[in-house]
Amino acid sequence: MKRRKFIQRTSLSSLAVVTGASALACKENETNKASEGTIPITPHSIPLVVATWNVKDATQKAWEVLQKEGTALDAVEQGCGIEEANAEGQSVGLGGLPDRDGNVTLDACIMNKEGHYGAVVYLQHIKHAISVARKVMEETPHVILAGKGAEQFAVSQGFQKENLLTEASKKAWEAWKIKSEYQPIINIENHDTIGMLAIDKNGDLSGGCTTSGLAYKMAGRVGDSPIIGSGLFIDNEVGGATATGLGEEVLKTVGSFLIVELMRQGKSPQEACEEAIGRIVKKNPHFKEFQVGYVAVNKNGDIGFYSIHEGFSVSKIQDGTFENIPSDYFNKS
Ligand code: ASP
């Protein structure tokens, strides 16, 4: 039976037989016997880390965590944290481009193998939004905290407040204010929202997504990145997906959830990403004016990615080798 049929027909309990250590054994032996049947999963290469854009340091950090027997959850948190602390990157954490009033406001979420999720939206003054999101997931009865409440919670958990608006981002904002034209930017300097997916040595998936959102957005705007099913979705039975680009379009099509559900129905990660992009371009005649990119991974460690326009790329480490791979895209005209 092909893997796609297997996913459709199997139950969670029988799938558990081929996760984790047995998945690795399966890789080594090519085939593996269970209950007299041949387990059809032949994991490609796990552990693995994939992320949106060219984020070598973040991807390598996540990989190091996995090599030290860390979980996929630890890997995505620590990997994303590298870019959040990087003042040079102007779309995540410290140094993120501000909203039109000059305030840096962060959105982030994290999702684990059990399907638990935590998020912060409109968080200010705390650079490690992904870690605050994890605390929301683990330490509160809620899944999303916003604005002042998120900030107060972060401080109560020991996070330090700081000014996230760097001189470079302040200068860029001041230059923007001269015309104050709001336009979605197709690819921000090859380095944008970090959406990261990881599979650990046990075959378990987690994902994280962190961003300062669209540059010069309206005050109070929240994008797709911290919203479950839009910027990120994980189902440890099937796979995970994450998004970058114009969040409004991802939100309207619930893109990451769509991709995971398409994989559940038998599509490869590549086919699922292409269909999710197809939904956006079909519904929005202005697709030439904005970018959306998706990356997805299934339980086997198969990866797919696709975008509307040229310029999107994916960072990946499988078998210890880092690659930054340009994405195929829809708009070839
Ligand atoms: N998706 C993010 C948002 O809409 C921005 C981005 O990925 O560029 O907030």
Side-chain angles (χ1 to χ4, degrees):
M1 200 189 329
K2 289 244 171 5
R3 173 174 159 73
R4 64 168 62 180
K5 295 249 172 62
F6 176 75
I7 286 181
Q8 283 166 337
R9 291 180 198 171
T10 195
S11 67
L12 174 57
S13 56
S14 62
L15 187 63
V17 173
V18 293
T19 59
S22 23
L24 287 171
C26 184
K27 184 186 174 195
E28 280 159 18
N29 302 336
E30 288 282 320
T31 54
N32 193 358
K33 304 282 180 189
S35 312
E36 303 305 308
T38 301
I39 293 175
I41 287 183
T42 51
H44 203 261
S45 188
I46 58 168
L48 72 83
V49 182
V50 285
T52 53
W53 307 103
N54 185 6
V55 286
K56 187 172 185 184
D57 292 350
T59 313
Q60 267 172 345
K61 178 69 193 181
W63 179 256
E64 274 167 37
V65 172
L66 296 179
Q67 292 312 295
K68 291 181 189 148
E69 312 299 321
T71 62
L73 188 68
D74 292 333
V76 296
E77 181 192 0
Q78 292 186 39
C80 288
I82 294 289
E83 283 304 321
E84 289 176 333
N86 174 13
E88 313 274 295
Q90 290 187 303
S91 54
V92 177
L94 179 65
L97 288 170
D99 66 13
R100 56 182 58 181
D101 298 336
N103 297 311
V104 179
T105 71
L106 305 180
D107 295 338
C109 76
I110 198 159
M111 194 162 181
N112 72 9
K113 64 179 174 158
E114 280 98 21
H116 295 308
Y117 154 82
V120 287
V121 304
Y122 199 70
L123 174 70
Q124 295 185 60
H125 307 123
I126 311 280
K127 66 178 172 236
H128 286 305
I130 191 91
S131 298
V132 185
R134 181 168 177 176
K135 290 282 184 197
V136 172
M137 178 175 81
E138 293 178 343
E139 307 293 338
T140 80
H142 306 304
V143 294
I144 306 178
L145 291 181
K148 270 274 161 243
E151 185 182 309
Q152 280 163 8
F153 169 70
V155 169
S156 78
Q157 293 291 315
F159 291 86
Q160 298 295 314
K161 283 173 68 167
E162 63 188 295
N163 173 23
L164 301 180
L165 187 65
T166 55
E167 271 312 305
S169 290
K170 191 170 170 209
K171 275 203 184 117
W173 169 61
E174 281 165 351
W176 172 83
K177 274 202 297 184
I178 296 167
K179 281 195 177 164
S180 298
E181 274 171 6
Y182 178 73
Q183 277 180 337
I185 304 167
I186 288 200
N187 294 306
I188 303 175
E189 47 152 75
N190 193 27
H191 180 307
D192 216 66
T193 292
I194 308 297
M196 183 178 278
L197 309 169
I199 306 183
D200 60 30
K201 289 183 174 174
N202 294 324
D204 290 321
L205 272 116
S206 290
C209 193
T210 184
T211 188
S212 51
L214 291 183
Y216 321 128
K217 60 197 174 185
M218 289 175 69
R221 182 263 189 192
V222 173
D224 61 309
S225 306
I227 304 301
I228 189 168
S230 289
L232 176 74
F233 195 71
I234 299 291
D235 186 324
N236 202 37
E237 284 181 62
V238 177
T242 188
T244 183
L246 186 63
E248 283 71 7
E249 297 303 317
V250 177
L251 281 161
K252 286 189 279 183
T253 49
V254 200
S256 294
F257 182 72
L258 172 65
I259 290 169
V260 172
E261 290 307 301
L262 289 168
M263 293 194 292
R264 189 194 308 279
Q265 290 164 23
K267 292 218 184 293
S268 69
Q270 186 62 33
E271 289 167 339
C273 288
E274 290 180 19
E275 183 160 338
I277 290 292
R279 297 269 176 109
I280 293 174
V281 300
K282 193 171 159 201
K283 288 186 176 182
N284 192 329
H286 302 293
F287 70 84
K288 292 200 172 162
E289 291 158 25
F290 59 84
Q291 174 71 301
V292 171
Y294 288 115
V295 55
V297 61
N298 68 13
K299 198 71 184 162
N300 259 352
D302 302 317
I303 295 166
F305 40 96
Y306 200 61
S307 56
I308 301 178
H309 299 283
E310 189 173 13
F312 176 51
S313 70
V314 161
S315 294
K316 168 175 99 98
I317 303 188
Q318 259 175 328
D319 292 327
T321 310
F322 173 82
E323 284 178 89
N324 176 233
I325 313 166
S327 175
D328 193 10
Y329 51 95
F330 177 84
N331 182 25
K332 299 268 166 55
S333 61

